[in-house]
């Protein structure tokens, strides 16, 4: 895995340069600020094979690669061609890749933004090019959303609130009687990790615990190992470690091995293969994640839009849809591996049933209903209906009695 240490160090400078470059453009002033979806560029869009652009912020980083994998599977299920780019961990490359996708003639863009400041920049570029775009994984701030909703080519956003990933972990840890925690996390300028830290801290302290220290600035497993080692040396009485990402959790586990006298339980957000192994072995007490299906539904939104069937929210606005962050107990690890990592949690039939032309009358409420009911239990029960898992397997996993 390549290091991404420099990624967020360049955000402020890069975005400043980006904004200065875009500020002189006058073409956006010629476009109406109405939120009503514009007519499609080509009235035959619904009858041609679509091509979607997609940016992976850094190939080789597991939690980003699984989003790409899920996007590709959904696009294949919906008979859509793809153009997948690699931002190489660079903010300025994110914007350049959007321009590259526009220049290549994609019909729409499925966009991931590492920084909230990117959303208005990308919105302006898509608006000038009259290219529809949808945002996945990260939900923009209220300020950015105000700007996005003024763009008639903004299709919507599907993501999760990272605060809601950290909060239940802190609550769960406190309910186990744990009192002293350290947190191992990414850059404090990364809204994903800062929100997870805040969520954990709020719930853990509310229940009477204390966060003794937060290790910011990690980007790799090696970083997390080194920093957790230092934190455990400084706080040998700690009884709880929360890692806000899979690699950070793996690093924390390795660091614990160097401190046999520390009896701390480990909690992680992100369900990558190494974390699943730790859950199964009992070295990780609890983990949550599985919210990366957000990209499936972001793709559904834009495919419907490009087939002249935009799914709009109240007030004719582009929807903001939140995907639950799931908690995985260790007795369900094997089934999770099988149906989330080795395969896709949603079948081709299910994805098509939420998309024109397979369901010409699909509504936003139908899409939201599927997302709101998304859970380990509901997905495995669906796999049972499909004949892919047995009742005995579900009983063993505690899904059914």
């Amino acid at each position: 895995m390549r290091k991404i240490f420099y990624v967020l160090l360049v955000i402020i400078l890069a975005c400043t340069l980006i904004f200065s470059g875009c500020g002189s453009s006058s073409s956006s002033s010629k476009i109406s600020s109405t939120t009503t979806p514009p007519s499609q560029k080509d009235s035959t869009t619904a009858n041609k094979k679509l091509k979607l652009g997609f940016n992976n912020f850094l190939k080789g980083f597991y939690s980003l690669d699984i989003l790409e994998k899920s996007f590709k599977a959904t696009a294949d299920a919906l008979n859509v061609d793809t153009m997948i780019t690699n931002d190489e961990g660079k903010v300025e490359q994110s914007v350049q890749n959007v321009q590259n996708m526009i220049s290549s003639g994609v019909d729409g863009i499925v966009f991931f933004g590492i920084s909230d400041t990117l959303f208005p920049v990308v919105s302006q570029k898509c608006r000038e090019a009259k290219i529809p775009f949808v945002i996945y994984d990260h939900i923009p701030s209220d300020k950015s959303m105000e700007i996005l909703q003024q763009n008639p080519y903004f299709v919507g956003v599907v993501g999760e609130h990272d605060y809601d990933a950290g909060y239940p972990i802190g609550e769960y840890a406190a309910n186990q009687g744990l009192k002293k925690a350290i947190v191992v996390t990414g850059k404090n300028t990364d809204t994903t990790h800062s929100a997870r830290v805040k969520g954990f801290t709020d719930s853990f302290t509310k229940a009477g615990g204390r966060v003794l220290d937060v290790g910011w600035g990690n980007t790799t497993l090696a970083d997390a190992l080194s920093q957790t080692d230092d934190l455990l040396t400084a706080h040998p009485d700690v009884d709880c470690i929360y890692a806000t990402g899979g690699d950070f959790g793996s690093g924390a586990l390795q660091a614990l091995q160097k401190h046999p006298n520390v009896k701390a339980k480990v909690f992680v957000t992100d369900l990558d293969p190494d974390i699943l192994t730790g859950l199964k072995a009992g070295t990780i007490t609890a983990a949550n994640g599985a919210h990366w299906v957000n990209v499936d539904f972001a793709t559904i939104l834009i495919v419907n839009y490009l087939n002249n069937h935009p799914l709009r929210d109240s007030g004719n606005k582009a929807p903001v849809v939140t995907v639950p962050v799931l908690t995985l107990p260790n007795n369900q690890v094997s089934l999770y591996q099988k149906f989330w990592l080795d395969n896709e949690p949603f079948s081709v039939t299910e994805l098509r049933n939420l998309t024109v032309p397979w369901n010409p009358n699909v509504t936003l409420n139908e899409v939201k209903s599927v997302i709101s009911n998304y859970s380990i239990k509901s997905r495995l029960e669906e796999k049972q209906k499909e004949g892919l898992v047995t009742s005995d397997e579900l009983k063993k996993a505690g899904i059914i009695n």
Side-chain angles (χ1 to χ4, degrees), residues 350-376:
E350 289 177 296
L351 295 172
R352 288 183 172 182
N353 281 341
L354 295 174
T355 315
V356 172
W358 293 276
N359 181 359
N361 299 312
V362 63
T363 66
L364 179 61
N365 283 339
E366 287 180 70
V367 175
K368 285 185 173 182
S369 177
V370 172
I371 295 174
S372 64
N373 289 316
Y374 173 58
S375 67
I376 301 291

Side-chain angles (χ1 to χ4, degrees), residues 67 70 74 134-140 156-166 168 196 269-271 288-301 319-327 336 340 345-346 351 354 364 366-376 378-379:
L67 285 160
S70 195
T74 300
V134 66
I135 294 169
Y136 73 96
D137 198 62
H138 284 171
I139 296 179
V157 55
V158 185
E160 65 287 338
H161 291 293
D162 286 294
Y163 182 91
D164 296 337
R196 291 176 183 178
T269 292
D270 274 348
L271 295 170
N288 64 2
H291 44 280
W292 44 261
V293 297
N294 56 65
V295 75
D296 301 353
F297 295 96
T299 304
I300 283 169
L301 288 185
V320 178
V321 184
T322 303
V323 174
V325 181
L326 309 186
T327 299
Y336 180 87
W340 272 259
F346 291 92
L351 295 172
L354 295 174
L364 179 61
E366 287 180 70
V367 175
K368 285 185 173 182
S369 177
V370 172
I371 295 174
S372 64
N373 289 316
Y374 173 58
S375 67
I376 301 291
S378 66
R379 287 292 84 213

Side-chain angles (χ1 to χ4, degrees), residues 7 23-24 30 46 52 84 98 141 193 196 207 224 242 249 285 291 306 312 317 327 330 356 360 376-377 398:
V7 172
S24 61
K30 300 177 182 178
L52 294 178
I84 296 174
V98 167
S141 67
H193 296 292
R196 291 176 183 178
Y242 172 49
T285 302
H291 44 280
L306 289 168
R312 310 296 283 185
K317 290 185 177 182
T327 299
N330 57 13
V356 172
I376 301 291
K377 183 176 187 294

Side-chain angles (χ1 to χ4, degrees), residues 55-243:
N55 71 309
N56 182 335
F57 189 67
L58 183 67
K59 284 179 179 286
F61 195 65
Y62 184 84
S63 61
L64 299 178
D65 286 345
I66 196 169
L67 285 160
E68 178 185 319
K69 172 179 174 287
S70 195
F71 164 72
K72 186 63 170 63
T74 300
D76 288 346
L78 302 180
N79 194 31
V80 171
D81 288 334
T82 61
M83 175 183 176
I84 296 174
T85 63
N86 179 10
D87 296 342
E88 300 177 351
K90 302 174 184 177
V91 173
E92 63 271 26
Q93 189 64 36
S94 293
V95 178
Q96 184 57 53
N97 278 335
V98 167
Q99 188 60 57
N100 292 341
M101 289 185 280
I102 290 172
S103 299
S104 74
V106 298
D107 296 294
I109 293 174
V110 182
F111 180 72
F112 175 92
I114 193 68
S115 168
D116 193 66
T117 54
L118 278 173
F119 297 124
V121 179
V122 169
S123 177
Q124 181 175 334
K125 286 190 173 294
C126 289
R127 185 171 187 167
E128 291 172 348
K130 299 184 179 179
I131 295 292
F133 70 102
V134 66
I135 294 169
Y136 73 96
D137 198 62
H138 284 171
I139 296 179
S141 67
D142 291 344
K143 182 178 180 180
S144 290
M145 281 303 306
E146 288 180 12
I147 297 171
L148 291 168
Q149 290 288 7
Q150 295 302 310
N151 185 346
Y153 295 93
F154 173 53
V155 175
V157 55
V158 185
E160 65 287 338
H161 291 293
D162 286 294
Y163 182 91
D164 296 337
Y167 194 94
I169 289 285
E171 194 171 49
Y172 184 81
N175 287 341
Q176 293 208 344
L178 305 179
K179 296 295 183 182
K180 298 178 180 180
I182 59 173
V183 180
V184 185
T185 187
K187 299 283 187 180
N188 57 12
T189 51
D190 185 330
T191 55
T192 293
H193 296 292
S194 59
R196 291 176 183 178
V197 172
K198 180 169 174 50
F200 175 88
T201 302
D202 285 355
S203 60
F204 193 71
T205 56
K206 181 180 180 181
R210 282 195 302 138
V211 175
L212 304 181
D213 212 338
V214 178
W216 296 100
N218 298 283
T219 55
T220 67
L221 186 156
D223 293 339
L225 192 164
S226 176
Q227 189 168 83
T228 307
D229 186 19
D230 292 342
L231 290 173
L232 292 175
T233 299
H235 306 285
D237 57 339
V238 68
D239 57 15
C240 172
I241 300 172
Y242 172 49

